[in-house]
Amino acid sequence: MKRIFFLLSIFILIPVCLYLALDRENIDINEFRLDSGYEEVRLSDGITSYKDIGDKNNKVIVLVHGATFGSLAYEEYVNVFVKNNYRVITYDQYGRGYSDRINSNVSIELMERQLKELIEHCKVEDVILYGVSFGAAVVAKYSSNNPETVSYTHLTLP
């Protein structure tokens, strides 16, 4: 009986108590973003959190994450690219990471618009795009609609 109670407390009671104590569902977005290390820009559909790392004169790579992970999943890649003389932009798509949770339907057009506006905000005219999963679809759509700004596209599908 003690073993059952012990296992219940580990797998049920402790996570429930942590969930209630941390109150992550009601945290203020500005408090959540505080000290994240991300820059913020208000685009037409909401605030996008992003990182722009490396020499501004270097060739630019934009990493576009999939639907399940935010840009934090690509932190390990950034330093490798920067050490190889690239400027790297990572960002959180709407509804992920530190970017806004928007009240409209998530669509490929919405995510393409976010990518386009972020690239314009960062004053990038020639970009390498790397997209994974849903991010690959966003990159493909952007590349087909803006071929003059894209020098290379890499798509990784699940």
Short mmCIF file of all heavy atoms in Angstrom, two decimals, residues 47-92:
data_model
loop_
_atom_site.label_atom_id
_atom_site.label_comp_id
_atom_site.label_asym_id
_atom_site.label_seq_id
_atom_site.Cartn_x
_atom_site.Cartn_y
_atom_site.Cartn_z
N ILE A 47 2.80 40.28 -31.70
CA ILE A 47 4.21 40.39 -31.34
C ILE A 47 4.93 39.09 -31.69
O ILE A 47 4.47 38.00 -31.36
CB ILE A 47 4.38 40.72 -29.85
CG1 ILE A 47 3.87 42.13 -29.58
CG2 ILE A 47 5.85 40.57 -29.42
CD1 ILE A 47 3.90 42.55 -28.14
N THR A 48 6.06 39.25 -32.36
CA THR A 48 6.93 38.12 -32.69
C THR A 48 8.21 38.28 -31.89
O THR A 48 8.84 39.34 -31.91
CB THR A 48 7.24 38.08 -34.20
OG1 THR A 48 6.03 37.83 -34.90
CG2 THR A 48 8.27 37.02 -34.52
N SER A 49 8.61 37.21 -31.21
CA SER A 49 9.87 37.19 -30.48
C SER A 49 10.91 36.50 -31.35
O SER A 49 10.63 35.44 -31.94
CB SER A 49 9.69 36.44 -29.17
OG SER A 49 8.79 37.14 -28.33
N TYR A 50 12.09 37.11 -31.42
CA TYR A 50 13.12 36.57 -32.32
C TYR A 50 14.50 36.88 -31.77
O TYR A 50 14.69 37.71 -30.89
CB TYR A 50 12.96 37.17 -33.73
CG TYR A 50 13.32 38.63 -33.82
CD1 TYR A 50 14.56 39.03 -34.28
CD2 TYR A 50 12.43 39.63 -33.41
CE1 TYR A 50 14.92 40.37 -34.36
CE2 TYR A 50 12.76 40.96 -33.49
CZ TYR A 50 14.00 41.32 -33.96
OH TYR A 50 14.34 42.65 -34.02
N LYS A 51 15.49 36.17 -32.33
CA LYS A 51 16.90 36.44 -32.06
C LYS A 51 17.58 36.66 -33.40
O LYS A 51 17.33 35.94 -34.35
CB LYS A 51 17.56 35.26 -31.33
CG LYS A 51 17.09 35.10 -29.91
CD LYS A 51 17.86 33.99 -29.21
CE LYS A 51 17.42 33.87 -27.76
NZ LYS A 51 18.16 32.80 -27.07
N ASP A 52 18.41 37.67 -33.45
CA ASP A 52 19.18 38.02 -34.64
C ASP A 52 20.63 38.05 -34.20
O ASP A 52 21.08 39.00 -33.57
CB ASP A 52 18.71 39.38 -35.18
CG ASP A 52 19.34 39.75 -36.50
OD1 ASP A 52 20.28 39.06 -36.94
OD2 ASP A 52 18.88 40.75 -37.10
N ILE A 53 21.36 36.98 -34.52
CA ILE A 53 22.70 36.78 -33.96
C ILE A 53 23.74 36.74 -35.08
O ILE A 53 23.53 36.10 -36.10
CB ILE A 53 22.74 35.46 -33.15
CG1 ILE A 53 21.68 35.52 -32.04
CG2 ILE A 53 24.11 35.20 -32.58
CD1 ILE A 53 21.40 34.21 -31.38
N GLY A 54 24.85 37.40 -34.85
CA GLY A 54 25.95 37.38 -35.81
C GLY A 54 26.14 38.73 -36.47
O GLY A 54 25.34 39.65 -36.30
N ASP A 55 27.19 38.81 -37.23
CA ASP A 55 27.55 40.04 -37.94
C ASP A 55 26.48 40.38 -38.97
O ASP A 55 26.12 39.54 -39.81
CB ASP A 55 28.91 39.83 -38.62
CG ASP A 55 29.47 41.10 -39.26
OD1 ASP A 55 28.67 41.95 -39.70
OD2 ASP A 55 30.70 41.22 -39.32
N LYS A 56 25.98 41.60 -38.93
CA LYS A 56 24.91 42.04 -39.83
C LYS A 56 25.35 42.07 -41.29
O LYS A 56 24.51 42.13 -42.18
CB LYS A 56 24.40 43.43 -39.43
CG LYS A 56 23.88 43.51 -38.01
CD LYS A 56 22.63 42.68 -37.79
CE LYS A 56 22.04 42.93 -36.44
NZ LYS A 56 21.92 41.78 -35.60
N ASN A 57 26.64 42.00 -41.56
CA ASN A 57 27.14 42.00 -42.93
C ASN A 57 27.26 40.60 -43.52
O ASN A 57 27.54 40.45 -44.71
CB ASN A 57 28.51 42.69 -43.00
CG ASN A 57 28.40 44.15 -42.61
OD1 ASN A 57 27.51 44.85 -43.06
ND2 ASN A 57 29.30 44.60 -41.75
N ASN A 58 27.07 39.56 -42.70
CA ASN A 58 27.20 38.18 -43.17
C ASN A 58 25.93 37.69 -43.84
O ASN A 58 24.84 38.26 -43.66
CB ASN A 58 27.55 37.25 -42.00
CG ASN A 58 28.95 37.47 -41.48
OD1 ASN A 58 29.77 38.14 -42.11
ND2 ASN A 58 29.24 36.91 -40.32
N LYS A 59 26.06 36.63 -44.60
CA LYS A 59 24.92 35.96 -45.23
C LYS A 59 23.95 35.50 -44.13
O LYS A 59 24.37 35.06 -43.07
CB LYS A 59 25.43 34.74 -46.01
CG LYS A 59 24.40 34.04 -46.80
CD LYS A 59 24.07 34.81 -48.04
CE LYS A 59 23.08 34.00 -48.87
NZ LYS A 59 22.30 34.81 -49.73
N VAL A 60 22.64 35.62 -44.39
CA VAL A 60 21.61 35.38 -43.37
C VAL A 60 20.94 34.02 -43.56
O VAL A 60 20.52 33.68 -44.67
CB VAL A 60 20.54 36.47 -43.39
CG1 VAL A 60 19.47 36.21 -42.36
CG2 VAL A 60 21.17 37.84 -43.19
N ILE A 61 20.84 33.28 -42.46
CA ILE A 61 20.07 32.03 -42.40
C ILE A 61 18.92 32.26 -41.44
O ILE A 61 19.13 32.72 -40.31
CB ILE A 61 20.91 30.85 -41.89
CG1 ILE A 61 22.08 30.57 -42.82
CG2 ILE A 61 20.04 29.61 -41.72
CD1 ILE A 61 23.02 29.48 -42.32
N VAL A 62 17.69 31.96 -41.88
CA VAL A 62 16.53 32.01 -41.00
C VAL A 62 16.08 30.59 -40.75
O VAL A 62 15.80 29.83 -41.69
CB VAL A 62 15.37 32.84 -41.61
CG1 VAL A 62 14.16 32.82 -40.68
CG2 VAL A 62 15.81 34.27 -41.87
N LEU A 63 16.04 30.21 -39.47
CA LEU A 63 15.59 28.87 -39.07
C LEU A 63 14.11 28.95 -38.69
O LEU A 63 13.73 29.73 -37.83
CB LEU A 63 16.40 28.37 -37.87
CG LEU A 63 17.93 28.31 -38.07
CD1 LEU A 63 18.60 27.90 -36.76
CD2 LEU A 63 18.29 27.37 -39.18
N VAL A 64 13.28 28.13 -39.35
CA VAL A 64 11.84 28.14 -39.13
C VAL A 64 11.43 26.81 -38.52
O VAL A 64 11.53 25.76 -39.16
CB VAL A 64 11.08 28.40 -40.44
CG1 VAL A 64 9.59 28.53 -40.18
CG2 VAL A 64 11.61 29.66 -41.13
N HIS A 65 10.97 26.86 -37.29
CA HIS A 65 10.62 25.63 -36.57
C HIS A 65 9.29 25.05 -37.02
O HIS A 65 8.51 25.70 -37.72
CB HIS A 65 10.61 25.88 -35.05
CG HIS A 65 9.56 26.85 -34.60
ND1 HIS A 65 8.23 26.51 -34.47
CD2 HIS A 65 9.64 28.16 -34.25
CE1 HIS A 65 7.54 27.56 -34.05
NE2 HIS A 65 8.38 28.58 -33.92
N GLY A 66 9.03 23.83 -36.59
CA GLY A 66 7.77 23.15 -36.91
C GLY A 66 6.67 23.55 -35.95
O GLY A 66 6.81 24.47 -35.15
N ALA A 67 5.57 22.83 -36.01
CA ALA A 67 4.38 23.18 -35.23
C ALA A 67 4.49 22.79 -33.76
O ALA A 67 3.80 23.37 -32.92
CB ALA A 67 3.14 22.52 -35.84
N THR A 68 5.34 21.84 -33.42
CA THR A 68 5.35 21.36 -32.04
C THR A 68 6.43 21.97 -31.16
O THR A 68 6.31 21.94 -29.95
CB THR A 68 5.50 19.82 -32.00
OG1 THR A 68 6.69 19.46 -32.71
CG2 THR A 68 4.29 19.16 -32.62
N PHE A 69 7.48 22.49 -31.75
CA PHE A 69 8.57 23.09 -30.97
C PHE A 69 8.73 24.55 -31.33
O PHE A 69 8.46 24.94 -32.45
CB PHE A 69 9.91 22.39 -31.25
CG PHE A 69 9.95 20.96 -30.81
CD1 PHE A 69 9.94 19.94 -31.74
CD2 PHE A 69 10.00 20.65 -29.47
CE1 PHE A 69 9.99 18.63 -31.35
CE2 PHE A 69 10.05 19.33 -29.07
CZ PHE A 69 10.04 18.30 -30.00
N GLY A 70 9.23 25.34 -30.39
CA GLY A 70 9.57 26.72 -30.68
C GLY A 70 11.01 26.81 -31.12
O GLY A 70 11.70 25.81 -31.33
N SER A 71 11.49 28.03 -31.24
CA SER A 71 12.84 28.25 -31.74
C SER A 71 13.93 27.80 -30.76
O SER A 71 15.07 27.60 -31.17
CB SER A 71 13.04 29.73 -32.07
OG SER A 71 12.92 30.52 -30.90
N LEU A 72 13.59 27.61 -29.51
CA LEU A 72 14.59 27.13 -28.55
C LEU A 72 15.17 25.78 -28.96
O LEU A 72 16.29 25.44 -28.59
CB LEU A 72 13.99 27.03 -27.15
CG LEU A 72 13.76 28.34 -26.42
CD1 LEU A 72 13.03 28.10 -25.10
CD2 LEU A 72 15.07 29.06 -26.16
N ALA A 73 14.44 25.02 -29.74
CA ALA A 73 14.91 23.72 -30.20
C ALA A 73 16.14 23.84 -31.10
O ALA A 73 16.86 22.86 -31.30
CB ALA A 73 13.79 22.98 -30.94
N TYR A 74 16.41 25.03 -31.63
CA TYR A 74 17.51 25.22 -32.57
C TYR A 74 18.69 25.98 -31.98
O TYR A 74 19.59 26.37 -32.71
CB TYR A 74 16.99 25.91 -33.84
CG TYR A 74 15.93 25.06 -34.48
CD1 TYR A 74 14.59 25.35 -34.31
CD2 TYR A 74 16.27 23.92 -35.19
CE1 TYR A 74 13.61 24.54 -34.84
CE2 TYR A 74 15.30 23.11 -35.73
CZ TYR A 74 13.97 23.42 -35.56
OH TYR A 74 13.01 22.61 -36.08
N GLU A 75 18.69 26.17 -30.68
CA GLU A 75 19.77 26.91 -30.02
C GLU A 75 21.15 26.32 -30.33
O GLU A 75 22.11 27.05 -30.51
CB GLU A 75 19.56 26.94 -28.50
CG GLU A 75 18.42 27.82 -28.06
CD GLU A 75 18.73 29.30 -28.18
OE1 GLU A 75 19.82 29.72 -27.76
OE2 GLU A 75 17.87 30.03 -28.70
N GLU A 76 21.25 25.00 -30.39
CA GLU A 76 22.54 24.35 -30.62
C GLU A 76 23.08 24.63 -32.03
O GLU A 76 24.28 24.60 -32.25
CB GLU A 76 22.43 22.84 -30.40
CG GLU A 76 22.09 22.46 -28.97
CD GLU A 76 23.16 22.88 -27.98
OE1 GLU A 76 24.37 22.72 -28.30
OE2 GLU A 76 22.80 23.36 -26.90
N TYR A 77 22.20 24.87 -32.99
CA TYR A 77 22.61 25.13 -34.36
C TYR A 77 23.20 26.53 -34.53
O TYR A 77 24.07 26.74 -35.37
CB TYR A 77 21.42 25.01 -35.33
CG TYR A 77 20.84 23.64 -35.43
CD1 TYR A 77 19.82 23.24 -34.58
CD2 TYR A 77 21.27 22.75 -36.41
CE1 TYR A 77 19.26 21.98 -34.69
CE2 TYR A 77 20.72 21.50 -36.53
CZ TYR A 77 19.71 21.11 -35.66
OH TYR A 77 19.17 19.87 -35.76
N VAL A 78 22.69 27.47 -33.78
CA VAL A 78 23.01 28.87 -33.99
C VAL A 78 24.51 29.13 -33.92
O VAL A 78 25.09 29.75 -34.82
CB VAL A 78 22.24 29.77 -33.00
CG1 VAL A 78 22.70 31.21 -33.09
CG2 VAL A 78 20.74 29.67 -33.25
N ASN A 79 25.16 28.66 -32.87
CA ASN A 79 26.59 28.94 -32.69
C ASN A 79 27.44 28.35 -33.81
O ASN A 79 28.44 28.96 -34.21
CB ASN A 79 27.07 28.44 -31.34
CG ASN A 79 26.52 29.28 -30.21
OD1 ASN A 79 26.21 30.46 -30.39
ND2 ASN A 79 26.38 28.69 -29.04
N VAL A 80 27.04 27.20 -34.32
CA VAL A 80 27.79 26.58 -35.43
C VAL A 80 27.73 27.49 -36.66
O VAL A 80 28.75 27.74 -37.31
CB VAL A 80 27.22 25.18 -35.76
CG1 VAL A 80 27.87 24.61 -37.02
CG2 VAL A 80 27.40 24.24 -34.58
N PHE A 81 26.54 28.00 -36.97
CA PHE A 81 26.41 28.90 -38.12
C PHE A 81 27.16 30.21 -37.90
O PHE A 81 27.84 30.70 -38.80
CB PHE A 81 24.94 29.19 -38.42
CG PHE A 81 24.19 28.02 -38.99
CD1 PHE A 81 23.02 27.58 -38.41
CD2 PHE A 81 24.65 27.37 -40.13
CE1 PHE A 81 22.32 26.50 -38.94
CE2 PHE A 81 23.96 26.30 -40.68
CZ PHE A 81 22.78 25.86 -40.08
N VAL A 82 27.04 30.78 -36.71
CA VAL A 82 27.72 32.05 -36.42
C VAL A 82 29.24 31.87 -36.53
O VAL A 82 29.92 32.72 -37.10
CB VAL A 82 27.30 32.60 -35.04
CG1 VAL A 82 28.17 33.78 -34.63
CG2 VAL A 82 25.83 32.99 -35.04
N LYS A 83 29.77 30.76 -36.01
CA LYS A 83 31.21 30.50 -36.10
C LYS A 83 31.67 30.35 -37.54
O LYS A 83 32.84 30.53 -37.85
CB LYS A 83 31.57 29.24 -35.31
CG LYS A 83 31.55 29.45 -33.81
CD LYS A 83 31.89 28.18 -33.07
CE LYS A 83 31.74 28.39 -31.59
NZ LYS A 83 31.93 27.16 -30.82
N ASN A 84 30.74 29.98 -38.42
CA ASN A 84 31.06 29.83 -39.84
C ASN A 84 30.64 31.05 -40.65
O ASN A 84 30.37 30.95 -41.85
CB ASN A 84 30.42 28.55 -40.39
CG ASN A 84 31.17 27.33 -39.92
OD1 ASN A 84 32.25 27.03 -40.42
ND2 ASN A 84 30.62 26.63 -38.93
N ASN A 85 30.60 32.19 -39.97
CA ASN A 85 30.38 33.49 -40.60
C ASN A 85 29.00 33.69 -41.22
O ASN A 85 28.87 34.26 -42.30
CB ASN A 85 31.48 33.79 -41.62
CG ASN A 85 32.84 33.79 -40.97
OD1 ASN A 85 33.01 34.38 -39.90
ND2 ASN A 85 33.79 33.11 -41.58
N TYR A 86 27.97 33.22 -40.53
CA TYR A 86 26.60 33.49 -40.93
C TYR A 86 25.93 34.35 -39.86
O TYR A 86 26.30 34.31 -38.69
CB TYR A 86 25.79 32.19 -41.09
CG TYR A 86 26.16 31.40 -42.31
CD1 TYR A 86 27.08 30.36 -42.22
CD2 TYR A 86 25.60 31.69 -43.54
CE1 TYR A 86 27.42 29.63 -43.34
CE2 TYR A 86 25.94 30.96 -44.67
CZ TYR A 86 26.84 29.93 -44.56
OH TYR A 86 27.18 29.22 -45.67
N ARG A 87 24.98 35.10 -40.29
CA ARG A 87 24.05 35.80 -39.39
C ARG A 87 22.83 34.89 -39.29
O ARG A 87 22.31 34.45 -40.31
CB ARG A 87 23.69 37.15 -40.00
CG ARG A 87 22.61 37.91 -39.26
CD ARG A 87 22.31 39.20 -40.01
NE ARG A 87 21.14 39.87 -39.51
CZ ARG A 87 20.50 40.85 -40.15
NH1 ARG A 87 20.96 41.27 -41.32
NH2 ARG A 87 19.44 41.40 -39.63
N VAL A 88 22.37 34.61 -38.08
CA VAL A 88 21.27 33.65 -37.88
C VAL A 88 20.09 34.34 -37.22
O VAL A 88 20.24 35.00 -36.19
CB VAL A 88 21.73 32.45 -37.02
CG1 VAL A 88 20.60 31.45 -36.86
CG2 VAL A 88 22.96 31.79 -37.61
N ILE A 89 18.93 34.15 -37.82
CA ILE A 89 17.68 34.65 -37.24
C ILE A 89 16.81 33.45 -36.89
O ILE A 89 16.54 32.61 -37.75
CB ILE A 89 16.94 35.59 -38.21
CG1 ILE A 89 17.80 36.82 -38.52
CG2 ILE A 89 15.58 36.00 -37.62
CD1 ILE A 89 17.25 37.72 -39.61
N THR A 90 16.43 33.37 -35.63
CA THR A 90 15.46 32.37 -35.19
C THR A 90 14.28 33.13 -34.61
O THR A 90 14.45 34.25 -34.11
CB THR A 90 16.02 31.42 -34.13
OG1 THR A 90 16.43 32.16 -32.98
CG2 THR A 90 17.21 30.63 -34.66
N TYR A 91 13.11 32.56 -34.69
CA TYR A 91 11.94 33.24 -34.14
C TYR A 91 10.89 32.22 -33.76
O TYR A 91 10.94 31.06 -34.18
CB TYR A 91 11.36 34.23 -35.17
CG TYR A 91 10.67 33.59 -36.35
CD1 TYR A 91 9.28 33.52 -36.39
CD2 TYR A 91 11.39 33.05 -37.40
CE1 TYR A 91 8.63 32.94 -37.48
CE2 TYR A 91 10.76 32.48 -38.48
CZ TYR A 91 9.37 32.42 -38.52
OH TYR A 91 8.74 31.83 -39.59
N ASP A 92 9.97 32.65 -32.92
CA ASP A 92 8.85 31.80 -32.53
C ASP A 92 7.65 32.17 -33.38
O ASP A 92 7.25 33.34 -33.43
CB ASP A 92 8.52 32.00 -31.05
CG ASP A 92 9.58 31.39 -30.14
OD1 ASP A 92 10.12 30.33 -30.50
OD2 ASP A 92 9.85 31.96 -29.08
#
